[in-house]
């Protein structure tokens, strides 16, 4: 699997030798990375770049479970609370004693864990899979933003009509409920389809479900 060209991997580990080894490994596979010695340093990076909360590029996080100060577990929980782990899948780096904890974290939304010492090939394979998952999540996020923008173009009356169109109501019943003419409903319906870039009520309903 070819990773996205603009992918970025964050490495958070308090062991300098681990950070350097991972950075070298990723460079050898033509993958860009940034590394941090603590969870606090990584959180400062996030705070300094609001764009990371709404990414346009796939990324993933290699995160040590145990670190001085804020642990990897606490950092993961904070990222999950902020809704960042879909677009930035987390792969935990664990020692043998931490494997049960890592398994539990996967159940709670972490992408995977890799036990130290890790196999280079196996780790890169999982990183590439995580980046693929991130890319899909980023695209879903972009699509939701586009849909929100389209929704913002609708008038209040068009929203009223759209709600009833999605519910499958015929134009006559929509007209009766809103005390307008059937012709007016038809005009609103056509404008809604144009603004939302759909051709049918079924397509519109599916589009709204994606939000």
């Amino acid at each position: 699997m070819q990773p996205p060209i603009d992918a970025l991997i964050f490495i958070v580990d308090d062991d300098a030798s681990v950070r350097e080894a991972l950075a070298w490994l990723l460079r050898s596979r033509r993958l860009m990375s940034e590394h941090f010695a603590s969870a606090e340093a990584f959180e400062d990076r996030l705070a300094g770049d609001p764009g990371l909360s709404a990414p346009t590029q796939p990324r993933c996080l290699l995160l040590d479970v145990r670190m001085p100060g804020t642990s990897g577990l606490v950092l993961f929980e904070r990222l999950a609370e902020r809704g960042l782990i879909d677009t930035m899948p987390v792969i935990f780096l664990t020692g043998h004693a931490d494997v049960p904890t890592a398994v539990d974290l996967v159940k709670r939304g972490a992408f995977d864990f890799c036990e130290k010492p890790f196999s280079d090939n196996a780790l890169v394979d999982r990183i590439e899979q995580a980046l693929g998952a991130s890319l899909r999540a980023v695209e879903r996020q972009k699509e939701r933003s586009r849909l929100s923008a389209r929704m913002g173009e609708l008038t209040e009356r068009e929203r009223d009509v759209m709600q009833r169109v999605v519910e499958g109501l015929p134009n006559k019943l929509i007209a009766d409920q809103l005390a307008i003419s059937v012709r007016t409903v038809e005009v609103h319906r056509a404008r809604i389809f144009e603004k939302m870039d759909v051709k049918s009520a079924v397509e519109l309903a599916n589009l709204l479900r994606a939000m």
Side-chain angles (χ1 to χ4, degrees), residues 59-78:
R59 71 265 177 89
C60 73
L61 171 61
L62 304 182
L63 179 59
D64 191 16
V65 171
R66 297 189 184 186
M67 293 182 290
T70 301
S71 70
L73 306 180
V74 171
L75 176 59
F76 173 77
E77 289 170 356
R78 290 175 180 171

Side-chain angles (χ1 to χ4, degrees), residues 63-139:
L63 179 59
D64 191 16
V65 171
R66 297 189 184 186
M67 293 182 290
T70 301
S71 70
L73 306 180
V74 171
L75 176 59
F76 173 77
E77 289 170 356
R78 290 175 180 171
L79 296 174
E81 287 172 1
R82 293 174 59 186
L84 297 179
I85 61 174
D86 285 336
T87 56
M88 184 170 60
V90 177
I91 299 175
F92 276 99
L93 305 176
T94 73
H96 179 70
D98 295 318
V99 168
T101 299
V103 171
D104 179 62
L105 288 166
V106 169
K107 293 177 181 177
R108 289 159 52 192
F111 188 81
D112 205 349
F113 67 92
C114 188
E115 189 176 353
K116 299 175 182 178
F118 44 79
S119 159
D120 289 355
N121 288 335
L123 177 57
V124 171
D125 284 347
R126 291 306 281 155
I127 289 171
E128 290 181 349
Q129 290 163 14
L131 291 174
S134 173
L135 179 60
R136 292 188 291 274
V138 167
E139 290 303 319

Side-chain angles (χ1 to χ4, degrees), residues 1-49:
M1 173 183 174
Q2 275 297 109
I5 294 174
D6 59 350
L8 179 61
I9 298 96
F10 297 111
I11 303 165
V12 181
D13 195 304
D14 64 305
D15 188 328
S17 63
V18 171
R19 295 196 305 273
E20 291 167 4
L22 287 170
W24 179 87
L25 172 63
L26 294 171
R27 282 197 303 272
S28 72
R29 305 300 176 89
R30 298 183 180 180
L31 289 168
M32 296 185 297
S33 67
E34 293 183 17
H35 43 94
F36 306 85
S38 67
E40 290 86 353
F42 179 65
E43 287 185 299
D44 286 345
R45 169 73 168 87
L46 289 180
D49 188 351

